[in-house]
Structures are given as C-alpha cells and as structure tokens.
Amino acid sequence: MDSRLAIEWMQPLLDRRFVVRDEERASDRQPRYSIFFAMRDYGRHRLAQDVEHERRVRAMHADFYRDLVEGQGERMAGRDRRDALEELSLDHENIHAALRFFVETADRHSALRVATMLDGYWWSRNYAEGYAHLQTVLGLGQPAVGSEGAERLLWGKVCLAAGKLAIRQFDLEEASSLFTAAADAGRAEFDSGLLALSLERGALVDLELNRYEQAYAALTEAQTIYETLGGRTRAEGMADCEDGLGLVASERRDYAAADAHFERALGFYAEYSDPQLSAWVRSDQSQVAYLNGDPLMARVHAEYAQHVGRAYEDLGLLTWSANSLGHIAAFQGDLDAARNHFVESMTLAMLQGNLRPRLRALEGLAVVAARSQQDESALILLSAVDRERKHRGLPRAVSETQLIGSALASSRSRLSELEIKRAADIGMLTSLDQATELAREV
C-alpha cells in the first residue's frame, strides 16, 4: 500500500487514539502502527461472536501475508536479502499466524507456498521454530501421485528446508528421510535443481556422521547436475558443493585442498555479490586456518563472518564466528576473551535451538577450564558432552577432536586415575542444562 494513502486512512484512528505510530518498527519505506491492547482484545471478542465473519477476516489476513512473504522471498533470492529479512522480522507474528491459519484450514497449497519462502528466514533466525512449523505443514500430507506438479515440487522444497533444520536438531534419521523425499520429488517432476540440492544437503548428514566418502560422492554427483544448469542456481549450487568438499578435505587434514575448495566457493558466490553466503565459507576457512596453525588468518576470517552476521542479523554466523574466536583467544592465552566468546556462542545456539554449536561451545569452555587448571570441571564438561553425543548418535569429528585434544590431555595429566574416573562419572550423570550452568561458572 502507498505510504501516503496509508497515512490518510489511518489519520482518523490516530486522532481518536485508537492506534499509535510504532516508531521502533517503522521502516524507511513504510510507516507502522500499533493498536492498544484493550482495543485489540475488544475487537477479538466481537469478532469471535461471528464465526463465519472471523474466518473471512483471518482468511483475508492470511492471504495478504502469504503474498507479502512471496514478494520478500523473491527479494531474498537477490541482492536485497538483508532488507527482506529485516522486513519479514517486523511481521514475524502476522506471518506465523497466517501459516497457522492455512494449516488449520488444511490449505496445503498456501501453507507450502509460505513455508517454502520462509526457508531462508528461519535459517537466519530460529532453527527450532522453523523446524516445528515445517513439520506441521508436512503433517498436512504428501500430494498424491498424479496431483498438480507444482504442488509436488513445493512439497519437495519444504522437505528440503525441514531436512536442513532437522540436522541442526540432531534428528539425522529424519533429515535423511526428508532429503530422500525431496530427491524423489525432484526426479518425479524432472526438476534437476531440486534433485541436486537434495543430494548436496544429504551430504551434510554424511558429514555429521563422519561418513566422508559418502559425502564426497554425493557432492560430486550434485556438482555434475549443477554444471548442466544456469544462472544463480548453478553458481550457488557449485559454491555450496565446493564448500562441502572443503569440509571433507579438512576432516582428512588436507588443508591445502580444503582452502582451494573454499576459494572456488567464494568465486562462485562472488558472481552474485552475496556477502552472507560468502561469510559462511569464511567461517569454515577460519577453522581450517586455525587447525593449520595460522591463528592470525583464522581471526581475520572469523571477524569477517562476525561482521556480516551482525549486518544481516544472522544468528548462525554469529554463533559459529564466536566459537572460532573463542578457540583463537584460548590458544593465544586470553582466557577471559575466550570465555566470553564461548558463552556468547552457547547463548546464541540455545536461542536458535541449534544443538551442535551449543555442544561445541561447551567443549570450548572445557578447554578454557583446562587451560586455567580447573581440571575436574573440564573433564566433567567433556563427559557430559560425550554423553549427549552418544545419546544423539553424533560422533566427534576429526577437526573437533583436534580443537580440544591437547588442552584436555593436559587436564588428565594433572589428575589421578581415580579423579579422572570420578569426573567422568559425574559428567555422565550431568544433564545438558546442568552442564550449561557449570560452563557459565568456569
């Protein structure tokens, strides 16, 4: 709606103080208004007295925000990603109310359309929330064979989005199933882009489970498909695969190959000047530089990722960059800075509902404890994380072992066998929340 027209319509309500200007949430392009709680409650009460009228109003509201999300989704696929994310966040409650309405009324097509477009938003903001909403949408049921192809493709894209977030919840079996469903939809509808994405994302499950040969095979197969495509789909797909191959190489301790893959990924992303996606590669480069004995370059990469994360309000980038900066600070002996970085990473991970960096932050705080000779606390934290990893079926990667190995070995060397066993036993009985509280006291 044109801003001048909106102001003209709203002025009588402003004059009577039924609504007020919301200066905090106003954007450069559009003023925003809030209604007083008493007026809102009264309106809801009156609306609830006419069920059919309430349904029509909710339907109009949902349709409006479905169209808004689709418009912003197109902007997120281009160079306006940051502005689109910001404007979606302003309407967070309205958008999710619209999605709930489509689910409640079994409007699968509209629910799939909204969920598909919110993929990038949830990935930047809240994994747990996004995963819960996507599961609800998928609960509406899979389109039948022979149904409209567009809806089957939307279903596949929602499976793909849910699978990414399932990984971050450590629900790896579900993630694998979702990627398989997405790949099946891509094959059935002859959508090479969806098929390649499904293979590429499936490789992330292999990486989580240290199945590097399978990850390598899936990523190279996806690259072969991306090579046949054009435009941004090809560039981003090739970049994502190169980034994944870089991670495979780093776990094999082939750091030169890893850096070569990362540089190729940055080259593909540069074709569309996407700093947010490039920053994720720089975050991966930070860890490889650190493991390869170059903490100064590791800091450069991590601080760049942190800067972009702040600019785009990307909690994932902020979480991982803080983790990298924590290890760099600990290595350089600045334990106060390391502790602050790891606590920040852990807090952001909990806010997102992202378990892996939460565990990584706990391991980092165990390193801080070890370096400050709080040896029993260090081993209790490590044991608690080991218990959680075993429960989730998530082995520690080679790189993760390298990050913590020497510091924890020092703690063990200063304790007796009995003290080591006692710390391990206490850790095995320590819940994740209890370990989190212990870590904050390190």
Side-chain angles (χ1 to χ4, degrees):
M1 179 185 295
D2 183 86
S3 297
R4 290 171 296 177
L5 182 59
I7 293 171
E8 181 180 332
W9 284 9
M10 295 300 295
Q11 194 59 51
L13 298 176
L14 287 165
D15 293 340
R16 297 178 185 179
R17 297 191 59 78
F18 289 165
V19 298
V20 293
R21 287 188 177 88
D22 191 340
E23 301 296 346
E24 290 185 4
R25 299 198 309 150
S27 69
D28 294 336
R29 289 181 293 275
Q30 187 177 30
R32 300 186 70 88
Y33 303 91
S34 294
I35 188 170
F36 289 112
F37 286 114
M39 293 295 298
R40 183 181 303 166
D41 289 343
Y42 175 74
R44 285 174 174 167
H45 174 72
R46 290 297 303 272
L47 196 60
Q49 293 176 350
D50 186 337
V51 175
E52 183 58 29
H53 184 56
E54 179 186 28
R55 192 200 65 79
R56 288 197 301 270
V57 169
R58 289 187 66 197
M60 288 189 294
H61 175 273
D63 288 346
F64 175 85
Y65 281 101
R66 178 197 60 212
D67 296 342
L68 182 144
V69 166
E70 290 187 322
Q72 297 296 353
E74 293 172 3
R75 294 179 66 208
M76 284 180 63
R79 297 184 179 182
D80 294 331
R81 182 193 303 268
R82 178 167 55 182
D83 290 340
L85 285 169
E86 181 180 344
E87 293 188 22
L88 285 172
S89 69
L90 293 174
D91 278 308
H92 181 95
E93 294 300 327
N94 284 316
I95 290 167
H96 288 84
L99 186 56
R100 285 193 297 272
F101 175 79
F102 291 135
V103 171
E104 290 169 11
T105 57
D107 185 349
R108 181 173 58 201
H109 189 71
S110 291
L112 290 171
R113 285 167 60 185
V114 173
T116 300
M117 288 298 177
L118 287 177
D119 175 16
Y121 175 75
W122 283 321
W123 186 252
S124 294
R125 294 298 193 272
N126 191 314
Y127 298 158
E129 177 187 70
Y131 187 44
H133 279 293
L134 288 167
Q135 285 182 308
T136 303
V137 172
L138 292 173
L140 293 174
Q142 182 175 359
V145 176
S147 61
E148 187 178 349
E151 187 161 310
R152 287 174 58 81
L153 283 176
L154 284 173
W155 170 268
K157 291 176 181 178
V158 172
C159 286
L160 190 67
K164 286 195 305 181
L165 298 180
I167 291 177
R168 296 299 178 242
Q169 308 302 302
F170 278 1
D171 194 349
L172 300 181
E173 184 176 346
E174 179 65 12
S176 184
S177 297
L178 288 164
F179 292 140
T180 298
D184 289 344
R187 291 189 184 93
E189 300 302 325
F190 304 101
D191 189 311
S192 298
L194 179 58
L195 175 58
L197 266 172
S198 303
L199 292 169
E200 173 205 322
R201 299 306 181 191
L204 295 178
V205 176
D206 293 324
L207 279 169
E208 294 284 354
L209 295 172
N210 298 351
R211 300 190 306 225
Y212 303 127
E213 294 299 326
Q214 293 94 318
Y216 181 87
L219 289 166
T220 52
E221 183 180 355
Q223 274 192 316
T224 302
I225 298 173
Y226 281 128
E227 285 282 14
T228 67
L229 306 177
R232 190 178 182 110
T233 299
R234 175 187 176 275
E236 287 192 1
M238 292 295 289
D240 287 345
C241 288
E242 289 291 351
D243 188 34
L245 290 168
L247 293 174
V248 171
S250 70
E251 295 300 335
R252 292 170 170 169
R253 301 192 185 188
D254 188 348
Y255 300 128
D259 206 47
H261 283 300
F262 291 145
E263 288 299 325
R264 285 195 288 272
L266 290 172
F268 283 117
Y269 283 139
E271 293 181 21
Y272 288 89
S273 303
D274 195 323
Q276 190 178 13
L277 294 176
S278 297
W280 277 101
V281 180
R282 295 286 293 273
S283 178
D284 292 334
Q285 283 183 304
S286 175
Q287 177 172 293
V288 169
Y290 176 81
L291 293 173
N292 200 28
D294 192 349
L296 293 180
M297 184 54 68
R299 180 179 291 278
V300 170
H301 290 310
E303 288 181 343
Y304 176 84
Q306 184 183 59
H307 170 75
V308 174
R310 286 172 178 160
Y312 283 82
E313 297 182 8
D314 188 326
L315 298 185
L317 271 176
L318 292 172
T319 300
W320 285 107
S321 59
N323 193 283
S324 294
L325 290 168
H327 281 291
I328 296 164
F331 174 79
Q332 295 175 333
D334 190 347
L335 298 185
D336 286 338
R339 182 182 296 106
N340 290 337
H341 285 309
F342 286 131
V343 169
E344 178 187 5
S345 180
M346 181 173 66
T347 302
L348 288 171
M350 292 170 66
L351 183 63
Q352 279 186 294
N354 190 356
L355 189 55
R356 187 184 192 101
R358 182 179 179 183
L359 296 182
R360 286 278 295 267
L362 286 171
E363 290 171 341
L365 286 162
V367 169
V368 172
R371 291 189 181 277
S372 57
Q373 298 192 19
Q374 301 175 57
D375 299 316
E376 187 173 0
S377 293
L379 296 186
I380 289 172
L381 285 174
L382 184 64
S383 178
V385 172
D386 286 343
R387 181 190 60 79
E388 190 69 24
R389 283 182 174 276
K390 183 176 181 181
H391 172 67
R392 301 281 183 167
L394 187 78
R396 188 173 283 112
V398 172
S399 59
E400 292 171 328
T401 300
Q402 287 179 268
L403 287 171
I404 66 175
S406 62
L408 275 298
S410 296
S411 280
R412 290 191 182 94
S413 71
R414 291 189 290 265
L415 296 176
S416 68
E417 290 186 10
L418 182 61
E419 289 171 323
I420 293 171
K421 183 179 185 305
R422 183 178 66 185
D425 289 343
I426 293 172
M428 292 300 289
L429 298 173
T430 301
S431 70
L432 186 58
D433 288 339
Q434 290 170 330
T436 300
E437 291 307 309
L438 174 61
R440 292 184 189 279
E441 297 172 1
V442 165

